[in-house]
């Protein structure tokens, strides 16, 4: 839903609420004098808002999902090595062409997350990969984070780097045809998680989301709760609820349009080393409980 840029106050005030502030009066019944204070009321209405909402709804269309082929060149090389091929750009191009030109792919896939190299590549006969996707009504996406690094001051936890230069990179990705973005950060339960790590994950996701939207890209918001640990499923639920509440708090602080984002939550499961395994029905129950408690209804799609 696009929001209006301005809302008019009553006639006595004759001011406008926008990226401005308005006067609020305070006082008591025993005095006719009023003190005034300035209250800022930011209103979000970006240049890409309508397009973002449309893109998010397209990707979240029923019966289709997202294809993630955003492997780094090193990871792609491991796949090629398994079939006896060298890790060259030509071979990576052929591998991705095999995927992206599959007949009828658009019947099942609504969006494809690409690695930066792939976004700029073409088929062997010169057709851009992004054009191959568009013909199948698949939205091209792009991985924008720069990977996990140690978080100083934490309990051996990580944070996701990549905000530096993200605006300029996103502008170029949009020009090349990308219309949504992926940013992955993680939270470790065995490491605490510390309040610092949770805040860093939430704030980083919110800044990435705001920058992406300002440049026309629908952000996939993905705080991944790692499976490591021997904790029960109840502990995972507790941590997931805390993380997602922080994420949406900072999304609001950064004026992110919730109708123009997509979510990729982790399933709520016991730790991988926990002695009791949960049934699929139990995992579904706990995951839905978390989502119902934390996700605002404005969000158009949850991709799991």
């Amino acid at each position: 839903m696009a929001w209006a840029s301005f809302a008019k106050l009553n006639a006595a005030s004759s001011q406008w609420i926008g990226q401005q502030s308005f006067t609020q009066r305070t006082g008591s019944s025993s005095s006719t004098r009023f003190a005034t204070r300035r209250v800022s009321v930011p209103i979000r209405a970006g240049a890409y808002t309508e397009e973002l909402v449309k893109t998010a709804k397209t990707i979240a269309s029923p019966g289709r999902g997202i294809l993630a082929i955003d492997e780094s060149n090193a990871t792609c090389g491991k796949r090629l090595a398994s079939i006896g091929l060298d890790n060259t750009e030509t071979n990576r191009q052929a591998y991705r062409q095999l995927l992206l030109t599959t007949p009828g792919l658009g019947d099942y896939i609504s969006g494809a997350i690409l690695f930066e190299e792939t976004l700029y590549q073409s088929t062997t006969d010169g057709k851009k990969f992004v054009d191959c996707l568009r013909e199948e009504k698949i939205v091209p996406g792009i991985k924008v984070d720069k990977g996990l690094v140690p978080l100083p001051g934490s309990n051996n936890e990580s944070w996701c780097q990549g905000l530096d230069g993200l605006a300029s990179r996103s502008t170029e990705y949009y020009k090349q045809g990308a219309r949504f973005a992926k940013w992955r950060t993680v939270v470790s339960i065995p490491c605490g998680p510390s309040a610092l790590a949770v805040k860093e994950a939430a704030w980083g996701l919110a800044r990435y989301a705001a920058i992406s939207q300002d440049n026309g890209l629908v952000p996939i918001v993905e705080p991944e709760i790692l499976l490591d640990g021997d904790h029960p499923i109840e502990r995972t639920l507790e941590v997931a609820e805390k993380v997602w509440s922080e994420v949406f708090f900072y999304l609001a602080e950064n004026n992110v349009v919730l109708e123009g984002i997509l979510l990729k939550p982790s399933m709520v499961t016991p730790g991988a080393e926990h002695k009791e395994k949960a049934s699929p029905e139990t995992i579904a129950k706990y995951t839905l409980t978390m989502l119902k408690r934390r996700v605002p209804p404005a969000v158009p799609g949850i991709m799991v």
Side-chain angles (χ1 to χ4, degrees), residues 79-297:
R79 299 179 187 239
L80 294 172
S82 68
I83 55 174
L85 293 177
D86 293 332
N87 186 12
T88 65
E89 182 177 356
T90 299
N91 286 337
R92 292 193 299 270
Q93 176 193 28
Y95 165 66
R96 287 156 178 162
Q97 178 173 330
L98 181 67
L99 292 171
L100 298 178
T101 59
T102 301
L105 185 64
D107 294 340
Y108 310 97
I109 301 299
S110 58
I113 308 171
L114 309 177
F115 189 62
E116 186 174 59
E117 179 183 72
T118 315
L119 181 66
Y120 291 90
Q121 283 180 328
S122 302
T123 63
T124 51
D125 58 2
K127 188 174 185 178
K128 293 181 179 179
F129 281 152
V130 291
D131 291 335
C132 295
L133 293 172
R134 285 170 175 160
E135 288 184 2
E136 287 287 331
K137 295 181 172 55
I138 299 172
V139 182
I142 178 70
K143 176 184 177 182
V144 298
D145 70 76
K146 294 298 182 179
L148 300 169
V149 293
L151 176 62
S154 71
N155 186 25
N156 295 319
E157 295 162 287
S158 301
W159 68 284
C160 188
Q161 60 185 346
L163 290 177
D164 288 350
L166 178 58
S168 59
R169 286 186 283 122
S170 296
T171 298
E172 293 304 314
Y173 296 152
Y174 184 91
K175 290 179 182 178
Q176 186 63 19
R179 289 299 180 268
F180 73 99
K182 176 195 174 184
W183 173 285
R184 174 183 175 265
T185 194
V186 301
V187 173
S188 171
I189 293 180
C191 290
S194 67
L196 174 63
V198 172
K199 183 175 181 178
E200 175 58 45
W203 177 257
L205 282 167
R207 290 305 305 145
Y208 138 76
I211 294 169
S212 296
Q213 288 192 339
D214 279 347
N215 291 280
L217 303 179
V218 169
I220 294 180
V221 178
E222 181 185 2
E224 181 179 348
I225 312 298
L226 295 176
L227 296 177
D228 304 334
D230 60 1
H231 50 276
I233 194 170
E234 291 80 7
R235 175 59 176 159
T236 307
L237 176 63
E238 178 186 21
V239 171
E241 288 185 354
K242 174 60 178 176
V243 171
W244 278 103
S245 68
E246 289 279 300
V247 168
F248 279 106
F249 173 81
Y250 286 116
L251 287 173
E253 287 283 289
N254 284 272
N255 297 318
V256 172
V257 179
L258 296 186
E259 293 87 348
I261 70 172
L262 295 169
L263 305 185
K264 189 182 182 301
S266 306
M267 302 298 285
V268 178
T269 71
E273 290 80 43
H274 188 61
K275 58 184 179 182
E276 296 181 10
K277 303 302 179 183
S279 67
E281 292 77 13
T282 299
I283 292 172
K285 175 185 175 181
Y286 275 80
T287 302
L288 288 173
T289 296
M290 185 275 291
L291 295 174
K292 289 177 180 178
R293 289 175 175 175
R294 290 294 179 262
V295 180

